[in-house]
Amino acid sequence: MPILPRQNPSQGQLNEGKTSSSRSSWRAAPYLFILPYMLFFVIFRLGPSLAGLGIAFTNWAAVGTPKWVGLGNFEAMVRDPLLKDAVLNTILFTALTVPLLIGLGLGLALFMNQPYRGRELGRVAVFTPFVVMSTVVGVLWTWLLEKDFGLINVTFGLDIPWLVSKDYAMLAIVMTTVWWTVGYNMVLFLAGLQDIPRELYEAARIDGAGRFQLLRRITLPLLAPTMFLVLMLTIINTFQVFDQVFVMTSGGPGTSTLTLVQYVYTTAFQFRKFGYGSAVAVLLFAILVLLALIQTRAYRRGLEGVTE
């Protein structure tokens, strides 16, 4: 008859203590992994944002003691014609850019999702501009759109002063932005398309559904969550347009391409009105929050309409 080894009571307590310590370590592991990002977020995002909110209620030139002015900066914004131009230009840029980025992104994703030779190369070619630095993109398109020797005018036999004309400068910024960022939307739509079960398409084809019916009855309804995500991200990003404007036109000619972020930069760092610049940044933040709430509410109503 085998004799079971006797367990020392003190040894059992020691093992139990090691097990408890090991469990505590495993529970703490996720927090240790996100700790570097949280430190980065607090130091470089949350802290400056809260500081900017406080500065918005002061008159401060980056040196000396800030002077408390209460709502004075926000009252001044109501009478500021440059701010009005910046808001209208930003809305115009968003209205021109978002439909192109959504439509082209979805069209490219549908095309790149089909089985054909060279599909991976096509995906890389469309997405590659998005990884290029914004300053490089701005300089590159400044050369391409140059009136006398730019590749666009030379290739198509045009004589358009893209970057020095009020009629074309915003269009040039839109073209640059679409070329630069449409690949990002394409990747998001591709991820959504590949989550749709293939069995649904096969069953619909057996029932005699054509390509347009597959797109309208299966693809677009099941792609709605991805569509909502892409729409929200695109609107938020277009409202924050700055880099290509700064490099290509610096807000000109006149104020034809002056956007909200460009105006924040100009007011704070060129005119040294940090208080007023922070107030404009708070206005931009409020607009983005309002747009996000409207989109979320519309999306939830759409879901309720589908489920009823």
Side-chain angles (χ1 to χ4, degrees), residues 230-252:
V230 174
L231 179 63
M232 180 175 288
L233 291 178
T234 305
I235 290 178
I236 290 174
N237 289 333
T238 51
F239 259 84
Q240 299 179 81
V241 58
F242 171 70
D243 297 359
Q244 55 270 47
V245 175
F246 179 75
V247 174
M248 296 175 67
T249 63
S250 297

Side-chain angles (χ1 to χ4, degrees), residues 139-160:
V139 172
L140 173 66
W141 274 86
T142 300
W143 289 344
L144 290 174
L145 296 172
E146 211 283 332
K147 179 177 179 295
D148 296 324
F149 59 82
L151 186 62
I152 303 294
N153 279 356
V154 172
T155 302
F156 297 101
L158 303 175
D159 189 31
I160 299 177

Side-chain angles (χ1 to χ4, degrees), residues 19-72:
T19 304
S20 177
S21 175
S22 176
R23 288 177 180 172
S24 300
S25 300
W26 277 108
R27 288 174 181 171
Y31 300 100
L32 293 177
F33 278 112
I34 66 172
L35 181 60
Y37 174 77
M38 292 304 296
L39 288 175
F40 180 87
F41 176 77
V42 170
I43 295 174
F44 294 103
R45 295 292 182 92
L46 184 61
S49 298
L50 295 177
L53 179 61
I55 294 172
F57 296 94
T58 66
N59 186 8
W60 189 45
V63 293
T65 304
K67 180 182 177 182
W68 179 264
V69 295
L71 297 176

Side-chain angles (χ1 to χ4, degrees), residues 78-290:
V78 178
R79 304 183 297 274
D80 188 350
L82 289 178
L83 178 62
K84 179 183 175 183
D85 290 345
V87 172
L88 293 177
N89 288 336
T90 305
I91 293 174
L92 175 63
F93 174 79
T94 301
L96 293 174
T97 307
V98 170
L100 291 173
L101 287 175
I102 299 294
L104 286 177
L106 178 60
L108 287 169
L110 290 171
F111 179 70
M112 298 291 178
N113 199 39
Q114 301 300 316
Y116 62 90
R117 183 176 295 178
R119 181 177 63 175
E120 286 72 18
L121 182 61
R123 293 178 180 178
V124 172
V126 175
F127 183 73
T128 297
F130 185 71
V131 302
V132 178
M133 290 180 63
S134 56
T135 51
V136 176
V137 171
V139 172
L140 173 66
W141 274 86
T142 300
W143 289 344
L144 290 174
L145 296 172
E146 211 283 332
K147 179 177 179 295
D148 296 324
F149 59 82
L151 186 62
I152 303 294
N153 279 356
V154 172
T155 302
F156 297 101
L158 303 175
D159 189 31
I160 299 177
W162 293 98
L163 301 178
V164 295
S165 168
K166 292 183 179 180
D167 297 329
Y168 296 100
M170 181 60 78
L171 183 60
I173 300 296
V174 171
M175 290 167 53
T176 304
T177 305
V178 171
W179 174 83
W180 181 30
T181 60
V182 72
Y184 179 71
N185 285 358
M186 180 200 71
V187 170
L188 293 179
F189 280 126
L190 268 177
L193 288 172
Q194 292 174 4
D195 281 342
I196 299 176
R198 299 291 97 183
E199 294 80 7
L200 294 177
Y201 291 109
E202 294 171 2
R205 288 193 186 96
I206 292 174
D207 291 339
R211 287 189 175 183
F212 179 73
Q213 290 176 315
L214 293 177
L215 176 66
R216 191 165 67 91
R217 298 290 185 181
I218 297 178
T219 303
L220 293 182
L222 295 183
L223 206 59
T226 305
M227 188 83 72
F228 170 72
L229 173 67
V230 174
L231 179 63
M232 180 175 288
L233 291 178
T234 305
I235 290 178
I236 290 174
N237 289 333
T238 51
F239 259 84
Q240 299 179 81
V241 58
F242 171 70
D243 297 359
Q244 55 270 47
V245 175
F246 179 75
V247 174
M248 296 175 67
T249 63
S250 297
T255 58
S256 59
T257 58
L258 180 67
T259 60
L260 274 170
V261 178
Q262 173 75 26
Y263 190 52
V264 170
Y265 170 81
T266 303
T267 305
F269 294 97
Q270 291 187 355
F271 300 152
R272 301 179 66 83
K273 296 180 179 179
F274 280 83
Y276 190 71
S278 299
V280 178
V282 171
L283 171 67
L284 174 60
F285 176 76
I287 292 174
L288 293 178
V289 170
L290 180 62

